[in-house]
Amino acid sequence: MPKPELMQNNFDEKLLQLLISRIGDYAIYMLDPNGYILSWNQGAKNIKGYQDEEVIGCHISIFYTTQERRENVPGNNLNDALKNNIHESQGWRVRKDGSIFWADVAITTLYDDDGFLKGFAKITRDITARKKKDDQKTLVNAELERRVKANTDKIIARERRFRELIENSYDGISLFGRYWNVLYRSRSAARISGWSNEERAGKRHDDLIHPDDLPMAKELFARVLTEPARPVMATYRTLHKQGHYIWIECLLNNLLNDPDVEAIVCNFRDVTGRILAEEQIREKNRQIGSILESITDGFIALDKNFCYTYVNHRIGEMLGVDAASLIGKCVWDVFPDAVNSSTHKAFKQAIEEQHYILNEDYYPPLGLWQENHIYPSPEGLSVFIRDITERKLAEASMQQSESNLRSVFENTDLAIVLFDMDARLQSFNNNARRLADRYFKAELKVGESAFYYCLPERVGDVKHILQKLRRRSPIVYEVSYPITAELTQWFEVRWVSVVNAQNQPVGIILTLKDITGKKQADQERDRMTADLIQRNKDLEQFTYIVSHNLRAPVANIKGLSDLLSDDMKPDDENMAALTALDTSVGNLDKVIIDLNHILQVSSQANDTLEKVSLPLLVDDVKSANSQLIQKNNVKIHCDFSEVGELTSLKSYLYSIFQNLIVNSIKYHRAGVEPVISIVSKIDHNKACLYFTDNGKGIDMQRDGLQLFGLYKRFDLSVEGKGMGLFMVKTQVERLGGKISVESGVDKGSTFKLEFPLK
């Protein structure tokens, strides 16, 4: 029996092995004294990628890089562990897939109770992420040290440069205390004002400001004191030492609370020359503006980017806009339709070539004809714009009749002839000339009478036409001319009066349009329609003959079958065959009856249309099926508020309602009382009828394509022939409508019927 302490040791060892095998974040495994792998835990699999059978028995050198194996790093690590009982190091290690990771490694020696080396325990941890973070931190710290040194050098250099700039700046710089006492003035401050530092120190700040600017300046100074660190810009006049006032532009910044400054900083410059020049420019602009506003032409000034810098009021009148609203906008943004126009090209040419250009252009969005006088300069364009719309319209009006008429004459497929009110030829196009050569064998001549070209039998008709045209009634008719024995050319002839400004007839236009192709297409369509009608009649007649001629033979066969059945004993060996014959004859008889029913539907298509009341129609169906409705406790709800009646064939509608209602009752769900809803709606000039029930429903994915087929049945638990929905679809389509279904198994069905309102 094992000793208790031995059992306890075995238990502890197994527990330790179990614990190690479950550790997933550390690779923990045993090595023999020569460095060969004896065990492999889950963490080792996760980190190194090897399974137990792939790595046990292998030397640990497989985890080291090629360079480290050459340098015998694995052996040195084991020797170090032997010397010190433990070896700890970090370095790159290789996974099974060849990728490397930064590992934290600890190798510990293991001895037995007698002091003999049993091997090594090796623990490896993947610290690649920490390695990257440490490397990044090292790089960042080095970069920060480099930047600090560089910035320190820059600050020292900038401070020296700043001092030099302040003392030699063209602008004046002054530092004031809280009560506007001078703390510092640069050399430029004395140069600008003429006052030395000693002289300026003896003057009050307000005493140097022009009386007219003093209220504004005091308000400005007060705002500077109440809004620290917020720069304030101002322009005002100050007294020069020589006794005159100069204009200064200053920027004040309250830095009294800044411990490095503790002053109000004032940067200023002498802008007297600029202010006086601006005043002179404003005065000249006022004079020029007065001139430009008084002229009758429009005037605009554009910069080099074609943006408006000036627009006179006449331009606003021409364009129908506020002239001031155009300032600062690009002319091509305001009028995008003018891009690539003649004006656009002229503006660009004037800028590029710097010479005067005159152009005329039409701007369709405004219906505006303009004459542009374009004067370039290095700064942009000055353009005088004259509205010439009336002149252009007058010119166009003079040319319109002749150009339009000639364009229509020679670019149309019509043959056109113009006559005066005395029926004398005034003008004609090439098409008319060719037709006259072909059909009249005569050349058209200006001044010739229309009757010269008429056939004798047509003279009376032409005179009648001319009389009607005097009442300005256009006349249209068709005429044909034989080309060959087999071919005839057709024309649509149109006579129209031409009236003057007083609405009086002054001429006649005769046009002939070749409609031979249309006539041939109409004749072919009529022939095909007649052929289809005849084929349909022949087919119906054939079906009628077949169905009626089969009835007598089928009835005879059925009678003979019944006689033989009566005379034959039940145990006769021919009884089964006779029974099968009787069944087949019965089925054939049903098919003939159904065929006759379908033929009756076709023949009813010629019934008289009448207004059919939908509520009364439902009442008729309910009355005819009262016992079926009561037996199954059926509830029928109707809403015909939108469409209460239809102009249609009552027999068709009755059959449709009958089939849909009876089908909903026949195919109701067991244990569920049938509920049928019939609702009418109007949708885009169509009357829509919705028949909804709560029955068994239809598997549309399986049966949807064959739902309306003849003799198609999908629920054999209920007696039927598969005729109902076929008849419904046939009758709906005969009425010019269409039918669709939405359904699901055990979800009921909705049949949607659409009929034209007219």
Side-chain angles (χ1 to χ4, degrees), residues 406 409-410 414-416 428-435 437:
R406 184 51 53 191
F409 270 21
E410 303 304 340
L414 300 176
I416 305 176
F428 53 88
N429 68 353
N430 288 328
N431 290 340
R433 178 179 54 77
R434 285 192 289 268
L435 289 180
D437 291 343

Side-chain angles (χ1 to χ4, degrees), residues 25-36:
D25 297 333
Y26 290 80
I28 304 175
Y29 50 95
M30 303 294 295
L31 307 175
D32 69 6
N34 294 316
Y36 288 91

Side-chain angles (χ1 to χ4, degrees), residues 300-301 307-312 322-330 334:
I300 61 172
C307 294
Y308 291 100
T309 58
Y310 180 83
V311 181
N312 73 347
D322 179 13
S325 67
L326 299 176
I327 302 300
K329 296 179 180 178
C330 178
V334 178

Side-chain angles (χ1 to χ4, degrees), residues 710-724:
L710 182 61
Y711 297 136
K712 298 296 182 181
R713 300 187 61 223
F714 312 107
D715 186 351
L716 302 180
S717 64
V718 179
E719 184 180 352
K721 297 194 297 183
M723 283 282 294

Side-chain angles (χ1 to χ4, degrees), residues 56-188:
I56 291 177
C58 296
H59 195 268
I60 61 170
S61 60
I62 64 173
F63 305 135
Y64 288 77
T65 64
T66 303
Q67 182 64 31
E68 288 178 329
R69 288 200 297 270
R70 288 177 185 157
E71 296 172 358
N72 194 28
V73 173
N76 294 337
N77 290 349
L78 293 176
N79 291 333
D80 186 54
L82 284 172
K83 290 178 183 179
N84 302 304
N85 290 329
I86 188 170
H87 167 77
E88 294 180 333
S89 64
Q90 294 181 356
W92 293 109
R93 295 293 182 267
V94 182
R95 293 189 178 92
K96 176 184 175 182
D97 61 5
S99 62
I100 60 173
F101 65 97
W102 189 258
D104 181 54
V105 179
I107 303 175
T108 306
T109 55
L110 298 175
Y111 296 92
D112 61 12
D113 294 340
D114 297 326
F116 291 103
L117 179 68
K118 293 180 64 177
F120 302 90
K122 184 173 181 181
I123 302 174
T124 303
R125 185 159 52 106
D126 183 357
I127 59 170
T128 307
R130 191 177 76 186
K131 165 71 172 172
K132 291 181 179 179
K133 188 181 295 184
D134 292 342
D135 290 348
Q136 183 65 26
K137 187 183 298 183
T138 301
L139 292 174
V140 170
N141 289 338
E143 178 64 15
L144 287 175
E145 289 179 3
R146 186 190 66 77
R147 290 184 180 183
V148 167
K149 184 178 183 309
N151 288 338
T152 302
D153 294 342
K154 287 181 180 179
I155 290 171
I156 294 172
R158 285 174 181 171
E159 183 176 357
R160 291 173 183 159
R161 189 181 305 112
F162 179 69
R163 288 181 177 276
E164 291 297 323
L165 286 174
I166 288 178
E167 294 301 328
N168 296 282
S169 172
Y170 180 79
D171 291 347
I173 301 175
S174 297
L175 301 182
F176 295 97
R178 183 173 300 277
Y179 302 102
W180 298 98
N181 52 307
V182 177
L183 302 178
Y184 168 82
R185 295 174 79 225
S186 67
R187 287 195 290 268
S188 293

Side-chain angles (χ1 to χ4, degrees), residues 378-404:
E379 290 75 29
L381 296 177
S382 298
V383 186
F384 290 88
I385 302 173
R386 181 169 299 167
D387 183 352
I388 58 172
T389 305
E390 291 186 4
R391 189 188 81 194
K392 284 292 184 180
L393 290 176
E395 292 174 356
S397 178
M398 294 170 61
Q399 300 173 359
Q400 183 175 6
S401 297
E402 181 179 353
S403 62
N404 287 353

